[in-house]
Amino acid sequence: MSNRNPEVDAWLAAYDNPQRDLVAQVREVVLGVDPAITEAIKWQAPTFIFRGNIASFFPKSKKTVTLMFHQGATIADPGGLLEGDGAVSRVARFADAAELEAKREALTAIIRAWVDDRR
């Protein structure tokens, strides 16, 4: 059984943004961390879910793919991927496929930490 949501497939197919392919690549990385991670369209954007909202894309971002971690301030981030200093959320940004590949391990570790913490 796939953890891909057809609503997100449709959203991505209609997504008119120069970063569409990179959004799809980030999606694959996140969904690949654990089959229990699901996704839905919330706040007009794909959102990853596992016992709470993990992260959502900022769909209007055109220079980078920006993934907002709803409770990013509470997630272990040993790789230093997350940006921001707010009380609750943090963001991860990816400019291109090479940057995603360079940050893949850190992104995977953050998603894994979220899932492990909630199991």
Side-chain angles (χ1 to χ4, degrees):
M1 183 168 175
S2 174
N3 58 349
R4 295 171 60 106
N5 182 330
E7 290 180 10
V8 176
D9 291 336
W11 181 94
L12 196 56
Y15 185 46
D16 184 21
N17 186 298
Q19 294 291 353
R20 179 174 60 191
D21 291 344
L22 188 56
V23 166
Q25 292 171 28
V26 172
R27 176 189 186 206
E28 292 304 317
V29 170
V30 173
L31 291 176
V33 172
D34 193 293
I37 296 170
T38 60
E39 60 182 356
I41 300 297
K42 293 186 174 186
W43 307 286
Q44 300 177 347
T47 298
F48 301 104
I49 305 158
F50 179 81
R51 297 186 181 167
N53 298 319
I54 304 170
S56 298
F57 287 108
F58 281 149
K60 293 184 181 184
S61 181
K62 293 187 192 271
K63 292 185 179 183
T64 64
V65 169
T66 303
L67 193 57
M68 194 262 304
F69 287 80
H70 299 275
Q71 297 178 36
T74 67
I75 301 173
D77 181 22
L81 176 68
L82 300 179
E83 302 173 19
D85 57 7
V88 181
S89 66
R90 298 283 187 274
V91 298
R93 290 186 175 91
F94 309 94
D96 54 34
E99 186 172 16
L100 172 60
E101 192 54 40
K103 294 178 174 180
R104 178 186 294 266
E105 186 176 320
L107 176 59
T108 299
I110 289 168
I111 301 297
R112 171 63 45 215
W114 175 276
V115 170
D116 289 349
D117 187 54
R118 279 145 185 86
R119 278 211 157 113

mmCIF file of all heavy atoms in Angstrom, residues 51-95:
data_model
loop_
_atom_site.group_PDB
_atom_site.id
_atom_site.type_symbol
_atom_site.label_atom_id
_atom_site.label_comp_id
_atom_site.label_asym_id
_atom_site.label_seq_id
_atom_site.Cartn_x
_atom_site.Cartn_y
_atom_site.Cartn_z
ATOM 1 N N ARG A 51 0.890 11.252 13.185
ATOM 2 C CA ARG A 51 0.456 11.596 14.545
ATOM 3 C C ARG A 51 0.631 13.093 14.802
ATOM 4 O O ARG A 51 1.205 13.504 15.800
ATOM 5 C CB ARG A 51 1.189 10.753 15.569
ATOM 6 C CG ARG A 51 0.877 9.281 15.401
ATOM 7 C CD ARG A 51 1.449 8.409 16.463
ATOM 8 N NE ARG A 51 1.088 7.030 16.166
ATOM 9 C CZ ARG A 51 1.634 5.994 16.749
ATOM 10 N NH1 ARG A 51 2.549 6.154 17.674
ATOM 11 N NH2 ARG A 51 1.255 4.776 16.418
ATOM 12 N N GLY A 52 0.151 13.851 13.844
ATOM 13 C CA GLY A 52 0.237 15.308 13.855
ATOM 14 C C GLY A 52 0.865 15.786 12.561
ATOM 15 O O GLY A 52 1.451 14.998 11.806
ATOM 16 N N ASN A 53 0.720 17.058 12.290
ATOM 17 C CA ASN A 53 1.286 17.649 11.075
ATOM 18 C C ASN A 53 2.790 17.792 11.234
ATOM 19 O O ASN A 53 3.254 18.451 12.169
ATOM 20 C CB ASN A 53 0.671 19.021 10.816
ATOM 21 C CG ASN A 53 -0.825 18.935 10.576
ATOM 22 O OD1 ASN A 53 -1.306 18.046 9.898
ATOM 23 N ND2 ASN A 53 -1.567 19.865 11.158
ATOM 24 N N ILE A 54 3.536 17.202 10.309
ATOM 25 C CA ILE A 54 4.989 17.318 10.339
ATOM 26 C C ILE A 54 5.418 18.618 9.656
ATOM 27 O O ILE A 54 6.065 19.461 10.264
ATOM 28 C CB ILE A 54 5.669 16.127 9.627
ATOM 29 C CG1 ILE A 54 5.236 14.801 10.233
ATOM 30 C CG2 ILE A 54 7.196 16.292 9.693
ATOM 31 C CD1 ILE A 54 5.682 13.585 9.424
ATOM 32 N N ALA A 55 5.057 18.740 8.378
ATOM 33 C CA ALA A 55 5.533 19.874 7.596
ATOM 34 C C ALA A 55 4.624 20.102 6.394
ATOM 35 O O ALA A 55 3.981 19.171 5.903
ATOM 36 C CB ALA A 55 6.958 19.619 7.113
ATOM 37 N N SER A 56 4.608 21.349 5.909
ATOM 38 C CA SER A 56 3.840 21.730 4.724
ATOM 39 C C SER A 56 4.731 22.538 3.792
ATOM 40 O O SER A 56 5.595 23.296 4.251
ATOM 41 C CB SER A 56 2.642 22.605 5.110
ATOM 42 O OG SER A 56 1.755 21.934 5.950
ATOM 43 N N PHE A 57 4.482 22.388 2.507
ATOM 44 C CA PHE A 57 5.177 23.219 1.525
ATOM 45 C C PHE A 57 4.590 24.627 1.531
ATOM 46 O O PHE A 57 3.400 24.806 1.763
ATOM 47 C CB PHE A 57 5.017 22.642 0.113
ATOM 48 C CG PHE A 57 5.830 21.402 -0.133
ATOM 49 C CD1 PHE A 57 5.214 20.169 -0.232
ATOM 50 C CD2 PHE A 57 7.209 21.470 -0.273
ATOM 51 C CE1 PHE A 57 5.944 19.017 -0.469
ATOM 52 C CE2 PHE A 57 7.956 20.331 -0.507
ATOM 53 C CZ PHE A 57 7.321 19.103 -0.601
ATOM 54 N N PHE A 58 5.444 25.636 1.255
ATOM 55 C CA PHE A 58 4.985 26.994 0.968
ATOM 56 C C PHE A 58 4.804 27.047 -0.547
ATOM 57 O O PHE A 58 5.774 27.157 -1.285
ATOM 58 C CB PHE A 58 6.019 28.041 1.369
ATOM 59 C CG PHE A 58 6.082 28.366 2.827
ATOM 60 C CD1 PHE A 58 7.283 28.750 3.392
ATOM 61 C CD2 PHE A 58 4.964 28.341 3.643
ATOM 62 C CE1 PHE A 58 7.368 29.073 4.729
ATOM 63 C CE2 PHE A 58 5.031 28.664 4.980
ATOM 64 C CZ PHE A 58 6.242 29.032 5.524
ATOM 65 N N PRO A 59 3.587 26.976 -1.055
ATOM 66 C CA PRO A 59 3.398 26.840 -2.497
ATOM 67 C C PRO A 59 3.741 28.087 -3.312
ATOM 68 O O PRO A 59 3.950 27.980 -4.512
ATOM 69 C CB PRO A 59 1.911 26.503 -2.625
ATOM 70 C CG PRO A 59 1.281 27.038 -1.397
ATOM 71 C CD PRO A 59 2.325 26.932 -0.321
ATOM 72 N N LYS A 60 3.825 29.242 -2.701
ATOM 73 C CA LYS A 60 4.095 30.465 -3.457
ATOM 74 C C LYS A 60 5.585 30.729 -3.647
ATOM 75 O O LYS A 60 5.967 31.608 -4.401
ATOM 76 C CB LYS A 60 3.417 31.662 -2.796
ATOM 77 C CG LYS A 60 1.908 31.542 -2.886
ATOM 78 C CD LYS A 60 1.201 32.734 -2.345
ATOM 79 C CE LYS A 60 -0.302 32.510 -2.465
ATOM 80 N NZ LYS A 60 -1.077 33.630 -2.054
ATOM 81 N N SER A 61 6.429 29.987 -2.968
ATOM 82 C CA SER A 61 7.867 30.164 -3.094
ATOM 83 C C SER A 61 8.318 29.723 -4.483
ATOM 84 O O SER A 61 8.018 28.612 -4.920
ATOM 85 C CB SER A 61 8.577 29.339 -2.018
ATOM 86 O OG SER A 61 9.966 29.505 -2.111
ATOM 87 N N LYS A 62 9.022 30.598 -5.200
ATOM 88 C CA LYS A 62 9.463 30.289 -6.556
ATOM 89 C C LYS A 62 10.983 30.143 -6.677
ATOM 90 O O LYS A 62 11.477 29.533 -7.607
ATOM 91 C CB LYS A 62 8.966 31.349 -7.526
ATOM 92 C CG LYS A 62 7.448 31.330 -7.669
ATOM 93 C CD LYS A 62 6.997 32.259 -8.752
ATOM 94 C CE LYS A 62 5.518 32.460 -8.715
ATOM 95 N NZ LYS A 62 4.720 31.575 -9.446
ATOM 96 N N LYS A 63 11.722 30.698 -5.736
ATOM 97 C CA LYS A 63 13.186 30.620 -5.799
ATOM 98 C C LYS A 63 13.724 29.371 -5.124
ATOM 99 O O LYS A 63 14.774 28.866 -5.503
ATOM 100 C CB LYS A 63 13.810 31.863 -5.171
ATOM 101 C CG LYS A 63 13.552 33.115 -5.976
ATOM 102 C CD LYS A 63 14.267 34.301 -5.411
ATOM 103 C CE LYS A 63 13.984 35.518 -6.270
ATOM 104 N NZ LYS A 63 14.700 36.690 -5.836
ATOM 105 N N THR A 64 13.022 28.905 -4.115
ATOM 106 C CA THR A 64 13.413 27.684 -3.417
ATOM 107 C C THR A 64 12.166 26.869 -3.116
ATOM 108 O O THR A 64 11.058 27.390 -3.138
ATOM 109 C CB THR A 64 14.109 27.988 -2.068
ATOM 110 O OG1 THR A 64 13.181 28.641 -1.191
ATOM 111 C CG2 THR A 64 15.357 28.840 -2.241
ATOM 112 N N VAL A 65 12.385 25.601 -2.829
ATOM 113 C CA VAL A 65 11.319 24.792 -2.252
ATOM 114 C C VAL A 65 11.453 24.998 -0.748
ATOM 115 O O VAL A 65 12.507 24.755 -0.167
ATOM 116 C CB VAL A 65 11.468 23.305 -2.626
ATOM 117 C CG1 VAL A 65 10.524 22.448 -1.798
ATOM 118 C CG2 VAL A 65 11.215 23.130 -4.108
ATOM 119 N N THR A 66 10.380 25.476 -0.141
ATOM 120 C CA THR A 66 10.386 25.764 1.285
ATOM 121 C C THR A 66 9.402 24.842 1.973
ATOM 122 O O THR A 66 8.227 24.793 1.611
ATOM 123 C CB THR A 66 10.019 27.243 1.542
ATOM 124 O OG1 THR A 66 10.939 28.074 0.823
ATOM 125 C CG2 THR A 66 10.094 27.581 3.019
ATOM 126 N N LEU A 67 9.911 24.126 2.955
ATOM 127 C CA LEU A 67 9.117 23.181 3.715
ATOM 128 C C LEU A 67 9.062 23.694 5.151
ATOM 129 O O LEU A 67 10.089 23.839 5.802
ATOM 130 C CB LEU A 67 9.784 21.811 3.651
ATOM 131 C CG LEU A 67 9.022 20.593 4.108
ATOM 132 C CD1 LEU A 67 7.720 20.427 3.335
ATOM 133 C CD2 LEU A 67 9.895 19.358 3.934
ATOM 134 N N MET A 68 7.847 24.033 5.608
ATOM 135 C CA MET A 68 7.672 24.574 6.952
ATOM 136 C C MET A 68 7.327 23.442 7.915
ATOM 137 O O MET A 68 6.342 22.748 7.739
ATOM 138 C CB MET A 68 6.563 25.626 6.975
ATOM 139 C CG MET A 68 6.543 26.469 8.237
ATOM 140 S SD MET A 68 5.374 25.974 9.518
ATOM 141 C CE MET A 68 3.833 25.976 8.709
ATOM 142 N N PHE A 69 8.176 23.278 8.904
ATOM 143 C CA PHE A 69 7.951 22.284 9.957
ATOM 144 C C PHE A 69 7.138 22.958 11.054
ATOM 145 O O PHE A 69 7.625 23.869 11.733
ATOM 146 C CB PHE A 69 9.285 21.755 10.483
ATOM 147 C CG PHE A 69 9.953 20.832 9.513
ATOM 148 C CD1 PHE A 69 10.667 21.340 8.430
ATOM 149 C CD2 PHE A 69 9.835 19.467 9.643
ATOM 150 C CE1 PHE A 69 11.266 20.496 7.519
ATOM 151 C CE2 PHE A 69 10.426 18.612 8.733
ATOM 152 C CZ PHE A 69 11.141 19.130 7.663
ATOM 153 N N HIS A 70 5.907 22.491 11.218
ATOM 154 C CA HIS A 70 4.951 23.155 12.103
ATOM 155 C C HIS A 70 5.450 23.273 13.538
ATOM 156 O O HIS A 70 5.179 24.275 14.194
ATOM 157 C CB HIS A 70 3.609 22.422 12.066
ATOM 158 C CG HIS A 70 3.006 22.422 10.702
ATOM 159 N ND1 HIS A 70 2.240 23.454 10.242
ATOM 160 C CD2 HIS A 70 3.086 21.533 9.678
ATOM 161 C CE1 HIS A 70 1.861 23.198 8.992
ATOM 162 N NE2 HIS A 70 2.371 22.041 8.633
ATOM 163 N N GLN A 71 6.133 22.260 14.016
ATOM 164 C CA GLN A 71 6.676 22.281 15.367
ATOM 165 C C GLN A 71 8.195 22.092 15.316
ATOM 166 O O GLN A 71 8.791 21.408 16.154
ATOM 167 C CB GLN A 71 6.023 21.190 16.216
ATOM 168 C CG GLN A 71 4.526 21.408 16.384
ATOM 169 C CD GLN A 71 3.882 20.305 17.185
ATOM 170 O OE1 GLN A 71 4.464 19.779 18.116
ATOM 171 N NE2 GLN A 71 2.668 19.948 16.823
ATOM 172 N N GLY A 72 8.801 22.734 14.353
ATOM 173 C CA GLY A 72 10.231 22.567 14.102
ATOM 174 C C GLY A 72 11.126 22.894 15.268
ATOM 175 O O GLY A 72 12.212 22.330 15.406
ATOM 176 N N ALA A 73 10.685 23.786 16.137
ATOM 177 C CA ALA A 73 11.508 24.146 17.297
ATOM 178 C C ALA A 73 11.654 22.983 18.273
ATOM 179 O O ALA A 73 12.566 22.980 19.093
ATOM 180 C CB ALA A 73 10.906 25.359 18.008
ATOM 181 N N THR A 74 10.781 21.982 18.151
ATOM 182 C CA THR A 74 10.821 20.849 19.078
ATOM 183 C C THR A 74 11.512 19.630 18.482
ATOM 184 O O THR A 74 11.647 18.617 19.163
ATOM 185 C CB THR A 74 9.394 20.440 19.513
ATOM 186 O OG1 THR A 74 8.694 19.916 18.374
ATOM 187 C CG2 THR A 74 8.627 21.613 20.093
ATOM 188 N N ILE A 75 11.952 19.708 17.234
ATOM 189 C CA ILE A 75 12.546 18.561 16.551
ATOM 190 C C ILE A 75 14.068 18.638 16.650
ATOM 191 O O ILE A 75 14.663 19.677 16.395
ATOM 192 C CB ILE A 75 12.135 18.531 15.069
ATOM 193 C CG1 ILE A 75 10.612 18.455 14.924
ATOM 194 C CG2 ILE A 75 12.787 17.363 14.344
ATOM 195 C CD1 ILE A 75 10.127 18.597 13.492
ATOM 196 N N ALA A 76 14.684 17.502 16.986
ATOM 197 C CA ALA A 76 16.146 17.435 16.997
ATOM 198 C C ALA A 76 16.661 17.703 15.583
ATOM 199 O O ALA A 76 16.152 17.144 14.614
ATOM 200 C CB ALA A 76 16.597 16.063 17.473
ATOM 201 N N ASP A 77 17.666 18.560 15.471
ATOM 202 C CA ASP A 77 18.206 18.943 14.163
ATOM 203 C C ASP A 77 19.735 18.965 14.210
ATOM 204 O O ASP A 77 20.361 20.010 14.065
ATOM 205 C CB ASP A 77 17.647 20.321 13.774
ATOM 206 C CG ASP A 77 18.127 20.799 12.414
ATOM 207 O OD1 ASP A 77 18.541 19.963 11.587
ATOM 208 O OD2 ASP A 77 18.095 22.022 12.185
ATOM 209 N N PRO A 78 20.348 17.802 14.407
ATOM 210 C CA PRO A 78 21.807 17.783 14.521
ATOM 211 C C PRO A 78 22.527 18.226 13.254
ATOM 212 O O PRO A 78 23.655 18.687 13.309
ATOM 213 C CB PRO A 78 22.128 16.329 14.867
ATOM 214 C CG PRO A 78 20.956 15.545 14.410
ATOM 215 C CD PRO A 78 19.768 16.463 14.526
ATOM 216 N N GLY A 79 21.861 18.117 12.092
ATOM 217 C CA GLY A 79 22.474 18.524 10.829
ATOM 218 C C GLY A 79 22.354 20.008 10.536
ATOM 219 O O GLY A 79 22.913 20.501 9.565
ATOM 220 N N GLY A 80 21.626 20.749 11.379
ATOM 221 C CA GLY A 80 21.488 22.191 11.189
ATOM 222 C C GLY A 80 20.693 22.578 9.954
ATOM 223 O O GLY A 80 20.901 23.649 9.387
ATOM 224 N N LEU A 81 19.752 21.744 9.548
ATOM 225 C CA LEU A 81 18.960 22.014 8.346
ATOM 226 C C LEU A 81 17.929 23.113 8.549
ATOM 227 O O LEU A 81 17.693 23.936 7.672
ATOM 228 C CB LEU A 81 18.250 20.727 7.910
ATOM 229 C CG LEU A 81 17.301 20.857 6.719
ATOM 230 C CD1 LEU A 81 18.080 21.146 5.442
ATOM 231 C CD2 LEU A 81 16.476 19.593 6.557
ATOM 232 N N LEU A 82 17.306 23.128 9.704
ATOM 233 C CA LEU A 82 16.168 24.016 9.929
ATOM 234 C C LEU A 82 16.609 25.449 10.213
ATOM 235 O O LEU A 82 17.539 25.689 10.976
ATOM 236 C CB LEU A 82 15.307 23.478 11.074
ATOM 237 C CG LEU A 82 14.724 22.087 10.828
ATOM 238 C CD1 LEU A 82 13.898 21.647 12.030
ATOM 239 C CD2 LEU A 82 13.886 22.063 9.562
ATOM 240 N N GLU A 83 15.878 26.380 9.607
ATOM 241 C CA GLU A 83 16.150 27.811 9.769
ATOM 242 C C GLU A 83 15.026 28.452 10.573
ATOM 243 O O GLU A 83 13.880 28.021 10.496
ATOM 244 C CB GLU A 83 16.217 28.489 8.401
ATOM 245 C CG GLU A 83 17.258 27.922 7.470
ATOM 246 C CD GLU A 83 17.159 28.519 6.079
ATOM 247 O OE1 GLU A 83 16.543 29.596 5.908
ATOM 248 O OE2 GLU A 83 17.683 27.893 5.147
ATOM 249 N N GLY A 84 15.373 29.500 11.286
ATOM 250 C CA GLY A 84 14.384 30.269 12.024
ATOM 251 C C GLY A 84 14.648 30.220 13.514
ATOM 252 O O GLY A 84 15.363 29.352 14.012
ATOM 253 N N ASP A 85 14.060 31.182 14.201
ATOM 254 C CA ASP A 85 14.252 31.235 15.645
ATOM 255 C C ASP A 85 12.946 31.527 16.378
ATOM 256 O O ASP A 85 12.942 31.954 17.515
ATOM 257 C CB ASP A 85 15.314 32.270 16.020
ATOM 258 C CG ASP A 85 14.986 33.665 15.494
ATOM 259 O OD1 ASP A 85 13.879 33.866 14.951
ATOM 260 O OD2 ASP A 85 15.843 34.559 15.624
ATOM 261 N N GLY A 86 11.828 31.240 15.710
ATOM 262 C CA GLY A 86 10.524 31.426 16.335
ATOM 263 C C GLY A 86 10.301 30.404 17.442
ATOM 264 O O GLY A 86 11.041 29.435 17.583
ATOM 265 N N ALA A 87 9.263 30.617 18.192
ATOM 266 C CA ALA A 87 8.973 29.747 19.325
ATOM 267 C C ALA A 87 8.470 28.376 18.895
ATOM 268 O O ALA A 87 8.587 27.415 19.648
ATOM 269 C CB ALA A 87 7.943 30.414 20.237
ATOM 270 N N VAL A 88 7.927 28.258 17.668
ATOM 271 C CA VAL A 88 7.289 27.005 17.290
ATOM 272 C C VAL A 88 7.822 26.425 15.974
ATOM 273 O O VAL A 88 8.303 25.310 15.936
ATOM 274 C CB VAL A 88 5.754 27.186 17.190
ATOM 275 C CG1 VAL A 88 5.078 25.877 16.820
ATOM 276 C CG2 VAL A 88 5.195 27.717 18.494
ATOM 277 N N SER A 89 7.711 27.142 14.870
ATOM 278 C CA SER A 89 8.009 26.562 13.555
ATOM 279 C C SER A 89 9.437 26.852 13.097
ATOM 280 O O SER A 89 10.120 27.739 13.617
ATOM 281 C CB SER A 89 7.015 27.078 12.517
ATOM 282 O OG SER A 89 7.185 28.452 12.319
ATOM 283 N N ARG A 90 9.859 26.071 12.114
ATOM 284 C CA ARG A 90 11.146 26.238 11.438
ATOM 285 C C ARG A 90 10.930 25.900 9.966
ATOM 286 O O ARG A 90 9.959 25.254 9.607
ATOM 287 C CB ARG A 90 12.207 25.292 12.000
ATOM 288 C CG ARG A 90 12.561 25.478 13.462
ATOM 289 C CD ARG A 90 13.469 26.690 13.649
ATOM 290 N NE ARG A 90 13.953 26.792 15.007
ATOM 291 C CZ ARG A 90 13.316 27.390 16.008
ATOM 292 N NH1 ARG A 90 12.125 27.923 15.797
ATOM 293 N NH2 ARG A 90 13.841 27.467 17.204
ATOM 294 N N VAL A 91 11.862 26.299 9.106
ATOM 295 C CA VAL A 91 11.766 25.969 7.686
ATOM 296 C C VAL A 91 13.053 25.319 7.196
ATOM 297 O O VAL A 91 14.133 25.549 7.741
ATOM 298 C CB VAL A 91 11.437 27.206 6.807
ATOM 299 C CG1 VAL A 91 10.093 27.797 7.173
ATOM 300 C CG2 VAL A 91 12.529 28.239 6.862
ATOM 301 N N ALA A 92 12.894 24.521 6.148
ATOM 302 C CA ALA A 92 14.021 23.972 5.396
ATOM 303 C C ALA A 92 13.849 24.462 3.968
ATOM 304 O O ALA A 92 12.732 24.467 3.439
ATOM 305 C CB ALA A 92 14.010 22.454 5.449
ATOM 306 N N ARG A 93 14.949 24.872 3.358
ATOM 307 C CA ARG A 93 14.894 25.390 1.987
ATOM 308 C C ARG A 93 15.838 24.597 1.102
ATOM 309 O O ARG A 93 16.937 24.226 1.522
ATOM 310 C CB ARG A 93 15.291 26.870 1.964
ATOM 311 C CG ARG A 93 14.269 27.771 2.600
ATOM 312 C CD ARG A 93 14.650 29.258 2.413
ATOM 313 N NE ARG A 93 13.616 30.114 2.912
ATOM 314 C CZ ARG A 93 13.545 30.582 4.153
ATOM 315 N NH1 ARG A 93 14.479 30.268 5.024
ATOM 316 N NH2 ARG A 93 12.551 31.365 4.519
ATOM 317 N N PHE A 94 15.397 24.407 -0.135
ATOM 318 C CA PHE A 94 16.176 23.676 -1.122
ATOM 319 C C PHE A 94 16.110 24.451 -2.433
ATOM 320 O O PHE A 94 15.027 24.668 -2.964
ATOM 321 C CB PHE A 94 15.610 22.261 -1.323
ATOM 322 C CG PHE A 94 15.425 21.518 -0.029
ATOM 323 C CD1 PHE A 94 14.199 21.539 0.622
ATOM 324 C CD2 PHE A 94 16.478 20.835 0.543
ATOM 325 C CE1 PHE A 94 14.015 20.871 1.819
ATOM 326 C CE2 PHE A 94 16.310 20.163 1.755
ATOM 327 C CZ PHE A 94 15.084 20.178 2.400
ATOM 328 N N ALA A 95 17.261 24.873 -2.964
ATOM 329 C CA ALA A 95 17.296 25.684 -4.181
ATOM 330 C C ALA A 95 17.257 24.839 -5.450
ATOM 331 O O ALA A 95 16.751 25.281 -6.479
ATOM 332 C CB ALA A 95 18.540 26.568 -4.189
#
